[in-house]
Amino acid sequence: MAQTSLMVPLGTALPDFSLPDLDQRIYSRADFEGAPLLVVFACNHCPYVKHIEAALGELVDSLAPPTVAICTNDATAYPDDAPLRLRDQAIRAGWTFPYLVDQDQSVGRAFNAACTPDFFLYDAELALAYRGAFDESTPGNGKPLTGSDLRTAIEAVMAGRPVPEPHRPSMGCSIKWRDD
C-alpha cells in the first residue's frame, strides 16, 4: 500500500546520525557541516524507488548537491534490502553518492521518514528546506519522469534561496519497520 511522506516542518534541524555505507565507511552529520545536504530514504525492492532511481542518479550528478541515500528497511524481513542487494541497486542506478545502512532503524525514526523514496533537503545551516516528491510521476500513472520538484528545490537551496511552496508529499512504499 502506498504511503506519503509526513511533511516534517520546514526549518527542522538535520538529525544527528552516524551510519556505515556499503563499504563500512562511517558518515555522520559532522561530515556535512556548512553545506546543503540531500538525504534520500530508499531501498532496493520498492517499485516507486526503482521508477526514479536512474533519474535520481542523473539529477544528483548534474546538480552536485552533497547527497546520501539511507536504507532503513528491515533487511531480515526484506532481503532485497540487504547491503549486497543495495550495492547492486547503486550500480544499476548509477548512484555515485554514499548509500548508508540504518540497521537499527533509529536514524529513519529520527528523520520521521515514512516511505521510499522520501526526500529531505537541508540548507547550508542544515535546516530542512524541502521535503517532498521527486516529481508528479509514479509507477503506472503515465506522467513524465522529470525530477522537476526536487530539481527546483536543489537549485533554490544551492543558490541560498527558500524553496517555493507548496511542497508535494513524496509517495512510495512504507518504511518496513521491525516489530521490536
Side-chain angles (χ1 to χ4, degrees):
M1 182 164 113
Q3 168 80 37
T4 58
S5 55
L6 297 178
M7 302 306 281
V8 172
L10 294 176
T12 298
L14 173 69
D16 198 19
F17 67 91
S18 180
L19 292 172
D21 72 1
L22 301 175
D23 295 316
Q24 299 303 308
R25 177 176 173 204
I26 303 296
Y27 287 85
S28 70
R29 183 184 198 277
D31 293 319
F32 301 99
E33 298 284 332
L37 176 64
L38 173 62
V39 178
V40 181
F41 283 86
C43 69
N44 183 47
H45 87 273
C46 174
Y48 290 85
V49 175
K50 288 180 177 182
H51 179 69
I52 63 132
E53 65 187 13
L56 173 63
E58 292 167 7
L59 179 73
V60 168
D61 283 351
S62 71
L63 297 178
T67 301
V68 296
I70 300 175
C71 183
T72 291
N73 278 357
D74 177 3
T76 302
Y78 293 84
D80 278 349
D81 295 337
L84 286 175
R85 299 303 309 270
L86 298 179
R87 182 180 306 282
D88 293 342
Q89 177 189 23
I91 292 166
R92 175 182 74 234
W95 290 356
T96 57
F97 45 86
Y99 204 162
L100 311 181
V101 179
D102 181 20
Q103 186 172 353
D104 71 5
Q105 301 185 315
S106 62
V107 173
R109 291 187 192 285
F111 275 82
N112 285 313
C115 59
T116 57
D118 209 352
F119 298 96
F120 297 83
L121 179 61
Y122 295 86
D123 64 19
E125 287 76 42
L126 299 181
L128 187 62
Y130 177 78
R131 71 293 192 240
F134 188 69
D135 59 22
E136 291 183 293
S137 183
T138 61
N141 77 354
K143 296 193 177 185
L145 185 62
T146 64
S148 59
D149 291 15
L150 187 59
R151 175 180 296 280
T152 297
I154 292 170
E155 289 172 342
V157 167
M158 299 283 283
R161 297 187 319 266
V163 179
E165 291 196 67
H167 300 171
R168 175 193 345 271
S170 188
M171 182 191 312
C173 298
S174 62
I175 300 280
K176 306 310 182 210
W177 303 108
R178 280 192 306 278
D179 295 327
D180 324 303

